[in-house]
């Protein structure tokens, strides 16, 4: 019965497995009808079908689809006679077989140029081994002779005509072979690129070669160079997602895409630290009709023209992320605040702009007009990682979210932003996720008004004196009040700070907690046996199971809570204070001994341990 399902229904089913190539492959073997519906989904991302070292098989399949002119061009541009013979032999073998059932090249929708390069590399290595050729024969180095006689030092040497010598000859062999390998990889990759771009309707184009720059395999600019594009390459008009970055010349593709690609919805731009770039991205940004997402990473040259061009996308932009974009005179906060549909703003490691206001200053927070609020982007997610905005700019984005803010991540020094807890508590009633790097009483102020918070993650330090805090509380006291102040919506609580909670702190927290947690994590000092007893009492109280309790080693920490007066550092490795690590390694044999550890507890289901 299932084998006779209509193709439309099969498509609806297979779309849920588009990232599961093994399942799609099995489905393609059920029947011809299933095969004809599963194969397009399977080959949509063809370079993820098989493992990396087996992608030479994809190259063989695509080579079989080249027309005669493309094959001749490939053979003529390949260096070395043996390499050409290998391609000709492969072509004869492929043409002697039955024709392919599908035009696989036309099914591709997501193209990653770096994967083409890597597949081409594996193809050449496979050809070398299949033809049983050593390195010298495969590279066809006609001026290379191999001296099989041992020299005085017991080693064999390659010699080049009248140029003997171990070091020099090896260097020449390495440089010559490296040039040949790079040229052949580049030639093959270019042919595959042209085939796939011209035969497919590419909607996602990724030209990110940064992953190619690894200590073990470094590619140079001549390998990652792209074929020249022209205005006749209309296939570029179907691109909806575009990722570009790496050490190669980008001027040609950007110029052509600025004229042909008008409907890109997502643009990701990554720079490369190995070269100095100064690229004008503004024409590409201005050319788009409906740009929804823009991500910039590690760009260290001036982006003023790009920032200015964002004014043409204020109605469509929904997601913006700047990561490591230093050396900027200012951030385009004024333009971003005008994006009427902006939902996500992430600024990571972009510098300090506390003395550079971008938005109009808010002098009286209690008298803000509705018109001013509505003019700011209605954010749902705001994230700042080591990026410091002018005080009123940050407040403007929080208030301007118009109570839509659901996720707030502030990895910054909150003491530089007094009264921020009050701003958040009064303007973020729908807040569901809060992450910060500072543990203090301000969390209680937020919890008293934001009753929908489901996830709190504090990783950083505990600061006793701060302009943000009007009252002083020990970490254990704060944890206890979190238990009584938070609503039943709170499901995950992670507090990874320098201070440690005692058995007494954890006992008060689990006893007074008002909701059923799914996860708890924090640094502790005490007896593991007592901790487990409190956890089991809490689980029985709420009728939930304890999926797992794990302990991680912790070398030291400041004791908080009722023992905060000690103010000392406890070394987990000394005085016999150890425990069983999460990986099973033993740090101590007696669970009844005092120890220092990071506690992780996962609740759920009905299974009790």
């Amino acid at each position: 019965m299932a084998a006779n399902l209509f193709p439309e229904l099969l498509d609806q089913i297979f779309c849920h497995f588009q990232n599961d190539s093994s399942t799609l492959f099995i489905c393609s073997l059920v029947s011809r009808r299933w095969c004809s519906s599963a194969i397009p989904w399977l080959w949509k991302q063809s370079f993820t079908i098989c493992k990396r070292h087996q992608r030479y098989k994809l190259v063989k399949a695509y080579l079989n689809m080249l027309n005669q002119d493309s094959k001749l061009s490939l053979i003529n541009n390949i260096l070395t006679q043996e390499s050409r013979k290998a391609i000709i032999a492969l072509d004869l073998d492929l043409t002697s077989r039955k024709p392919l059932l599908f035009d696989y090249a036309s099914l591709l929708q997501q193209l990653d140029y770096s994967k083409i390069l890597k597949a081409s590399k594996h193809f050449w290595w496979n050809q070398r081994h299949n033809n049983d050729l050593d390195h010298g024969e495969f590279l066809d180095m006609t001026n290379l002779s191999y001296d099989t006689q041992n020299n005085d030092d017991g080693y064999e040497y390659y010699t080049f005509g009248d140029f003997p010598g171990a070091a020099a000859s090896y260097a020449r062999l390495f440089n010559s072979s490296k040039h040949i390998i790079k040229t052949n990889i580049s030639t093959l990759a270019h042919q595959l690129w042209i085939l796939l771009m011209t035969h497919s309707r590419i909607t996602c184009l990724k030209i990110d070669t940064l992953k190619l720059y690894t200590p073990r395999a470094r590619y140079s600019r001549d390998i990652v160079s792209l074929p020249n594009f022209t205005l006749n390459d209309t296939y570029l008009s179907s691109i909806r997602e575009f990722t570009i970055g790496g050490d190669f010349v980008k001027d040609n593709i950007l110029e052509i895409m600025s004229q042909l690609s008008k409907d890109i919805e997502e643009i990701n731009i990554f720079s490369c630290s190995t070269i100095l770039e100064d690229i004008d991205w503004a024409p590409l940004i201005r050319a788009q009709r409906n740009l929804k997402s823009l991500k910039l990473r590690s760009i260290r040259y001036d982006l003023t023209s790009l920032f200015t061009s964002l004014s043409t996308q204020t109605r469509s932009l929904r997601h913006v992320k700047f990561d490591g974009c230093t050396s900027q005179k200012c951030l385009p906060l004024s333009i971003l605040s005008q994006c009427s549909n902006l939902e996500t703003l992430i600024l990571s490691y972009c510098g300090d702009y506390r003395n550079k206001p971008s938005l109009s200053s808010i002098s009286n927070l209690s008298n803000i007009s509705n018109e001013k609020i509505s003019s700011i982007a209605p954010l749902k997610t705001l994230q700042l990682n080591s990026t410091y905005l002018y005080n009123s700019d940050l407040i403007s984005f929080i208030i301007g979210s118009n109570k839509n803010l659901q996720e707030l991540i502030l990895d910054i020094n909150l003491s530089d932003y007094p009264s921020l807890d009050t701003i958040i508590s009064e303007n973020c009633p729908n807040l569901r996720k809060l992450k910060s790097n500072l543990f203090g009483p301000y969390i209680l102020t937020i919890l008293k008004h934001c009753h929908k918070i489901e996830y709190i993650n504090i990783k950083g330090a505990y600061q006793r004196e701060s302009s943000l805090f009007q009252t002083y509380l020990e970490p254990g006291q704060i944890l206890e009040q979190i238990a009584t102040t938070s609503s039943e919506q709170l499901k995950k609580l992670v507090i990874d700070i320098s201070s440690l909670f005692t058995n007494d702190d954890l006992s008060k927290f689990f006893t007074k907690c008002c909701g059923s947690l799914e996860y708890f994590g924090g640094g502790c000092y005490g007896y593991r046996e007592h901790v487990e007893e409190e956890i089991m009492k809490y689980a029985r109280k709420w009728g939930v199971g304890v999926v797992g309790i794990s302990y991680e080693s912790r070398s030291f920490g400041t004791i908080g809570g009722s023992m905060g007066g000690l103010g000392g550092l406890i070394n987990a490795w000394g005085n016999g204070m150890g425990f069983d690590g999460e990986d099973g390694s033993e740090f101590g044999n007696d669970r009844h001994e005092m120890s220092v550890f990071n506690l992780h507890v996962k609740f759920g289901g009905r299974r009790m341990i």
Side-chain angles (χ1 to χ4, degrees), residues 165-434:
S169 58
Y170 275 135
R172 185 170 176 181
L173 169 64
F174 176 77
N175 292 330
S176 300
S177 62
K178 185 178 178 181
H179 169 71
I180 294 172
I181 291 173
K182 290 191 299 183
T183 302
N184 288 349
I185 292 175
S186 178
T187 300
L188 180 57
H190 283 192
Q191 286 297 332
L192 293 175
W193 170 274
I194 295 172
L195 169 72
L196 296 174
M197 289 294 291
T198 55
H199 285 71
S200 312
R201 182 174 174 80
I202 302 297
T203 59
C204 176
L205 178 61
K206 185 175 182 180
I207 316 176
D208 176 16
T209 63
L210 295 181
K211 294 182 179 179
L212 298 177
Y213 293 87
T214 62
R216 301 182 66 179
R218 185 171 294 275
Y219 292 71
S220 59
R221 298 186 70 174
D222 56 346
I223 277 195
V224 297
S225 62
L226 301 176
N228 285 327
F229 295 89
T230 66
L231 290 174
N232 295 325
D233 299 330
T234 55
Y235 47 79
L236 293 173
S237 61
S238 63
I239 295 175
R240 297 294 179 269
E241 180 182 343
F242 180 48
T243 300
I244 184 169
D247 185 0
F248 61 93
V249 179
K250 308 175 181 67
D251 297 341
N252 174 249
I253 188 172
L254 292 180
E255 179 183 356
I256 300 302
M257 288 188 66
S258 299
Q259 301 180 58
L260 295 178
S261 305
K262 305 289 186 179
D263 297 309
I264 302 178
E265 297 180 354
E266 179 177 343
I267 296 179
N268 306 312
I269 302 173
F270 307 142
S271 185
C272 179
S273 59
T274 61
I275 60 173
L276 295 177
E277 292 184 319
D278 189 7
I279 300 174
D280 185 9
W281 303 94
L284 180 64
I285 300 295
R286 285 195 294 265
Q288 306 314 311
R289 301 188 184 100
N290 189 31
L291 182 62
K292 296 180 180 180
S293 176
L294 175 64
K295 297 179 182 179
L296 308 177
R297 189 180 75 191
S298 301
I299 300 181
R300 294 177 174 82
Y301 50 86
D302 186 44
L303 293 172
T304 301
S305 61
L306 184 150
F307 291 160
T308 304
S309 67
L310 294 178
S311 61
T312 62
Q313 308 295 331
T314 54
R315 293 186 178 182
S316 61
L317 266 179
R318 285 172 169 78
H319 307 283
V320 173
K321 180 179 180 180
F322 299 157
D323 185 359
C325 298
T326 58
S327 305
Q328 305 303 317
K329 297 178 181 178
C330 64
L331 296 176
L333 300 182
S334 178
I335 295 176
L336 294 177
S337 68
Q338 301 171 24
C339 296
S340 56
N341 294 303
L342 188 64
E343 298 178 358
T344 303
L345 177 59
I346 301 176
L347 304 174
S348 298
Y349 305 99
C350 291
D352 190 341
Y353 301 91
R354 280 174 285 192
N355 297 322
K356 301 177 182 179
S358 298
L359 307 178
S360 57
S361 177
I362 299 179
S363 57
N364 191 347
L365 298 177
S366 61
N367 297 319
I368 302 177
S369 64
N370 292 331
E371 180 180 356
K372 186 177 185 64
I373 292 177
S374 62
S375 66
I376 305 295
L379 295 175
K380 291 184 178 179
T381 299
L382 176 60
Q383 177 174 340
L384 299 179
N385 299 96
S386 299
T387 301
Y388 293 88
L389 305 183
Y390 192 70
N391 184 47
S392 65
D393 290 347
L394 176 57
I395 293 175
S396 296
F397 273 106
I398 294 176
I399 297 178
S401 66
N402 201 16
K403 301 183 178 181
N404 289 313
L405 202 61
Q406 298 180 11
E407 182 176 350
L408 183 60
I409 301 175
L410 299 174
D411 186 12
I412 55 177
N413 188 359
L414 294 179
S415 61
D416 292 337
Y417 299 91
S419 303
L420 188 61
D421 53 345
T422 304
I423 298 297
I424 295 172
S425 62
E426 293 178 354
N427 296 276
C428 304
N430 295 307
L431 191 65
R432 286 173 168 79
K433 182 176 181 179
L434 174 64

